[in-house]
Amino acid sequence: MAVLAGPTMAAADSFKLKIRGKGGHASTPVKIIDPVMTGAQIVAALPGHIMRRVSVFDQLVTTITKFYAGTGMNVVPETAGLTGDVRTFCSKTRDLVEQEIGNLVDHMARMNGGIAEYRFELGYPPAVAPEGKKSQTSPN
Protein backbone atom coordinates (compact mmCIF):
# COMPACT_ATOMS: atom_id res chain seq x y z
CA MET A 1 0.00 0.00 0.00
CA ALA A 2 1.38 3.44 -0.87
CA VAL A 3 0.92 6.63 1.16
CA LEU A 4 1.04 9.82 -0.88
CA ALA A 5 2.62 13.02 0.37
CA GLY A 6 0.40 15.57 2.11
CA PRO A 7 -2.35 15.46 4.71
CA THR A 8 -3.73 12.03 5.50
CA MET A 9 -5.61 12.48 8.79
CA ALA A 10 -6.85 15.63 10.52
CA ALA A 11 -6.03 16.68 14.07
CA ALA A 12 -8.81 15.74 16.45
CA ASP A 13 -9.43 18.37 19.12
CA SER A 14 -12.39 19.11 21.33
CA PHE A 15 -13.79 21.96 23.37
CA LYS A 16 -16.02 22.29 26.39
CA LEU A 17 -17.81 25.32 27.68
CA LYS A 18 -20.03 26.14 30.59
CA ILE A 19 -22.29 29.17 30.49
CA ARG A 20 -23.30 30.68 33.82
CA GLY A 21 -26.37 32.84 34.08
CA LYS A 22 -29.03 33.41 36.71
CA GLY A 23 -31.69 30.74 36.90
CA GLY A 24 -35.28 31.25 37.81
CA HIS A 25 -38.85 30.54 36.93
CA ALA A 26 -39.66 30.55 33.21
CA SER A 27 -42.62 32.89 33.80
CA THR A 28 -40.29 35.74 34.86
CA PRO A 29 -37.67 36.06 32.11
CA VAL A 30 -36.88 39.65 33.14
CA LYS A 31 -35.42 38.32 36.41
CA ILE A 32 -33.08 35.72 34.89
CA ILE A 33 -29.97 35.50 32.73
CA ASP A 34 -30.75 32.61 30.43
CA PRO A 35 -27.74 30.34 29.72
CA VAL A 36 -29.85 28.16 27.41
CA MET A 37 -30.57 31.08 25.10
CA THR A 38 -26.89 32.06 25.16
CA GLY A 39 -25.90 28.48 24.30
CA ALA A 40 -28.37 28.42 21.42
CA GLN A 41 -26.92 31.66 20.07
CA ILE A 42 -23.42 30.16 20.22
CA VAL A 43 -24.57 27.05 18.35
CA ALA A 44 -26.17 29.21 15.64
CA ALA A 45 -23.25 31.66 15.32
CA LEU A 46 -20.27 29.29 15.49
CA PRO A 47 -20.18 27.96 11.89
CA GLY A 48 -20.45 31.38 10.27
CA HIS A 49 -18.06 33.02 12.72
CA ILE A 50 -15.32 30.44 12.21
CA MET A 51 -15.73 30.11 8.45
CA ARG A 52 -15.31 33.88 7.99
CA ARG A 53 -11.90 33.75 9.68
CA VAL A 54 -10.37 30.74 7.93
CA SER A 55 -9.31 30.51 4.30
CA VAL A 56 -11.52 28.37 2.08
CA PHE A 57 -8.33 26.46 1.19
CA ASP A 58 -7.80 25.33 4.80
CA GLN A 59 -9.76 22.23 5.63
CA LEU A 60 -11.77 22.67 8.82
CA VAL A 61 -14.74 21.03 10.51
CA THR A 62 -16.32 22.27 13.75
CA THR A 63 -19.28 20.43 15.23
CA ILE A 64 -21.31 20.91 18.41
CA THR A 65 -21.71 17.39 19.77
CA LYS A 66 -23.56 17.97 23.03
CA PHE A 67 -25.80 20.66 24.54
CA TYR A 68 -27.06 20.13 28.07
CA ALA A 69 -28.94 22.25 30.59
CA GLY A 70 -31.37 21.93 33.45
CA THR A 71 -33.87 19.31 34.49
CA GLY A 72 -37.10 21.22 35.10
CA MET A 73 -39.81 21.94 32.58
CA ASN A 74 -40.62 25.43 33.87
CA VAL A 75 -37.29 26.41 35.41
CA VAL A 76 -34.46 28.14 33.57
CA PRO A 77 -31.23 26.60 34.88
CA GLU A 78 -28.29 28.59 36.20
CA THR A 79 -25.85 26.84 33.85
CA ALA A 80 -25.74 25.27 30.42
CA GLY A 81 -22.94 23.36 28.75
CA LEU A 82 -21.72 22.59 25.27
CA THR A 83 -19.07 20.27 23.91
CA GLY A 84 -17.73 20.12 20.41
CA ASP A 85 -15.27 18.60 17.99
CA VAL A 86 -12.72 20.38 15.77
CA ARG A 87 -10.79 18.84 12.86
CA THR A 88 -7.92 20.67 11.13
CA PHE A 89 -4.82 19.86 9.08
CA CYS A 90 -2.82 23.04 9.71
CA SER A 91 -1.42 24.13 13.09
CA LYS A 92 -2.05 27.81 12.22
CA THR A 93 -5.72 27.03 11.57
CA ARG A 94 -5.87 24.94 14.74
CA ASP A 95 -4.56 27.85 16.84
CA LEU A 96 -6.89 30.35 15.15
CA VAL A 97 -9.96 28.17 15.71
CA GLU A 98 -9.08 27.72 19.39
CA GLN A 99 -8.83 31.49 19.83
CA GLU A 100 -11.91 32.38 17.77
CA ILE A 101 -14.22 29.92 19.53
CA GLY A 102 -13.08 31.45 22.82
CA ASN A 103 -13.73 34.96 21.52
CA LEU A 104 -17.22 34.06 20.32
CA VAL A 105 -18.17 32.26 23.54
CA ASP A 106 -16.93 35.11 25.72
CA HIS A 107 -18.70 37.74 23.62
CA MET A 108 -22.04 35.90 23.54
CA ALA A 109 -22.00 35.23 27.29
CA ARG A 110 -21.14 38.84 28.17
CA MET A 111 -23.67 40.20 25.65
CA ASN A 112 -26.40 38.31 27.53
CA GLY A 113 -25.15 39.19 31.02
CA GLY A 114 -23.58 35.81 31.75
CA ILE A 115 -20.12 34.34 32.12
CA ALA A 116 -18.55 31.53 30.10
CA GLU A 117 -15.84 29.04 31.04
CA TYR A 118 -14.10 27.69 27.93
CA ARG A 119 -11.53 24.93 27.52
CA PHE A 120 -9.98 23.78 24.25
CA GLU A 121 -8.42 20.32 24.48
CA LEU A 122 -5.74 19.37 21.98
CA GLY A 123 -6.13 15.81 20.80
CA TYR A 124 -3.78 14.06 18.46
CA PRO A 125 -1.97 16.16 15.82
CA PRO A 126 -2.65 15.93 12.09
CA ALA A 127 -0.90 13.21 10.14
CA VAL A 128 0.91 14.78 7.20
CA ALA A 129 3.29 12.76 5.03
CA PRO A 130 6.36 14.77 3.91
CA GLU A 131 6.28 16.28 0.43
CA GLY A 132 8.30 14.58 -2.27
CA LYS A 133 8.18 11.17 -0.61
CA LYS A 134 6.01 8.17 -1.08
CA SER A 135 6.17 5.50 1.57
CA GLN A 136 5.43 1.85 1.07
CA THR A 137 3.86 -0.28 3.77
CA SER A 138 3.61 -4.01 3.72
CA PRO A 139 0.22 -5.68 3.99
CA ASN A 140 1.41 -7.56 7.10
Side-chain angles (χ1 to χ4, degrees):
M1 172 168 66
V3 177
L4 300 176
T8 58
M9 189 168 62
D13 303 318
S14 62
F15 60 91
K16 295 179 181 178
L17 62 102
K18 187 176 205 176
I19 304 156
R20 293 189 178 280
K22 179 181 176 189
H25 197 275
S27 67
T28 56
V30 71
K31 295 180 180 180
I32 62 174
I33 297 172
D34 190 344
V36 177
M37 183 176 65
T38 300
Q41 290 172 338
I42 291 168
V43 170
L46 183 63
H49 178 77
I50 296 298
M51 298 315 287
R52 294 293 186 253
R53 281 150 183 81
V54 176
S55 169
V56 296
F57 299 107
D58 291 335
Q59 296 173 343
L60 165 67
V61 175
T62 58
T63 306
I64 301 294
T65 57
K66 189 188 297 186
F67 189 148
Y68 51 94
T71 58
M73 202 167 109
N74 60 353
V75 178
V76 175
E78 190 157 322
T79 63
L82 297 165
T83 62
D85 184 67
V86 177
R87 303 296 172 121
T88 58
F89 280 108
C90 171
S91 61
K92 182 179 171 186
T93 303
R94 192 181 200 188
D95 294 342
L96 179 68
V97 169
E98 176 181 3
Q99 178 183 340
E100 288 300 327
I101 292 173
N103 289 344
L104 174 70
V105 166
D106 182 59
H107 174 75
M108 289 290 191
R110 285 187 297 114
M111 181 178 75
N112 288 306
I115 298 169
E117 300 168 17
Y118 166 68
R119 188 171 75 228
F120 192 88
E121 298 175 352
L122 295 175
Y124 56 81
V128 181
E131 291 295 324
K133 292 187 176 183
K134 182 169 110 175
S135 49
Q136 296 284 345
T137 60
S138 71
N140 297 333

